Structures are given as structure tokens and as C-alpha cells.
Amino acid sequence: MRARTLLSPRFIIGVLAAIVVLHFLATYFRWYEPSPVSAGGWRIDWMFHAVGGFWIAGLFFYASYRGANVAAPSSHPLYIGVCALGAVALAGVLWEFFEFWIDATFGALPHVTRQQGGLHDTMFDLAFDLAGGAVGTLLYLVALQRR
């Protein structure tokens, strides 16, 4: 994929819109809940975390190369990659705090699906955040080197 496409606001907003629409569909159709088909029920959650990590990496590169210059574009690619993964990790941890808050606040309601499945779920969520962020970071770095 070309750097111009990856760094376009249309692409960044499009990925976010896809995440939001798919999340509402998954919530409505209860795809997050365990079922015999989903082998534990959390695989769609992992997919969302990976795509979310990819999106955060893209947002970081957009801010760095098109906007706020978070990490100077002339910096070493390793430095930029580590900063991007740091942004992904921070977003993932903040999201896990948000899920914990949702459970603590609304978890007792009968129609609310619990967000936290325990330490195992949290660790896999963070791992998939970082995996998606790593794929996004590598994709952006390669595209920017070809630029």
C-alpha cells in the first residue's frame, strides 16, 4: 500500500468507522459471547484489538507525518517504530481500564455483557493490540521508506 493512501485522513477515518460499525454489529448480535462456534467466544474480541492496534499505529504515523509531528519524520525508523508501539501499548492499557470501569459501573445489569474475562483475557487483549500495532508500524515504515 502506498504511503499517501495510508496517511490520508480518509483511510484513518475509514478504518475507525469500520471498527465502530463492526463493534455495534458484534454487540447487537452477541458475537462477543461464548458459543460452541467461537471456541470460547473471545476471538472476535482479539480481532478488534488487533485492528485497533493497527489503527492507533496509523493515527500515530498520521500525527507524525501529516499533523502534530509527534516523532520527527527525520528520526531513525527504529525510534519511530518504538514510539508508535508505545502509543499502541498506552492506548491498549487505557482501553483495558475503560473495560474495567464499564464492568464496575454497569456489570451488575442483566443486559450488559461483562467486558473483562480476567487476567487471561486482558493479557491476550494487550498482546493482540501490540500485534496489530506491530503490523501497522511495519506497514507504515515500509511504505514511508518507498516514498
Side-chain angles (χ1 to χ4, degrees):
M1 203 173 263
R2 293 180 16 207
R4 193 168 118 186
T5 303
L6 288 170
L7 292 173
S8 73
R10 183 177 292 162
F11 181 77
I12 300 294
I13 292 169
V15 172
L16 178 61
I19 292 170
V20 169
V21 167
L22 288 172
H23 169 69
F24 280 111
L25 288 172
T27 302
Y28 180 78
F29 289 112
R30 299 182 174 274
W31 294 340
Y32 287 114
E33 294 180 7
S35 71
V37 176
S38 64
W42 303 112
R43 290 196 176 151
I44 193 159
D45 183 44
W46 295 342
M47 184 268 309
F48 278 113
H49 278 276
V51 174
F54 177 89
W55 182 77
I56 293 293
L59 192 63
F60 175 85
F61 278 94
Y62 178 80
S64 294
Y65 285 86
R66 289 280 180 110
N69 200 16
V70 175
S74 61
S75 298
H76 192 277
L78 180 62
Y79 170 76
I80 295 171
V82 168
C83 288
L85 286 176
V88 169
L90 176 62
V93 168
L94 291 175
W95 185 261
E96 291 303 313
F97 278 124
F98 173 72
E99 285 184 351
F100 178 79
W101 176 78
I102 291 290
D103 282 353
T105 306
F106 305 108
L109 299 174
H111 62 280
V112 175
T113 302
R114 297 206 40 99
Q115 302 295 311
Q116 290 291 312
L119 181 61
H120 180 266
D121 174 62
T122 299
M123 292 295 104
F124 270 101
D125 288 351
L126 293 172
F128 277 91
D129 288 333
L130 288 172
V135 168
T137 297
L138 290 174
L139 186 67
Y140 276 91
L141 287 174
V142 168
L144 289 167
Q145 291 296 322
R146 293 182 181 172
R147 193 171 165 193

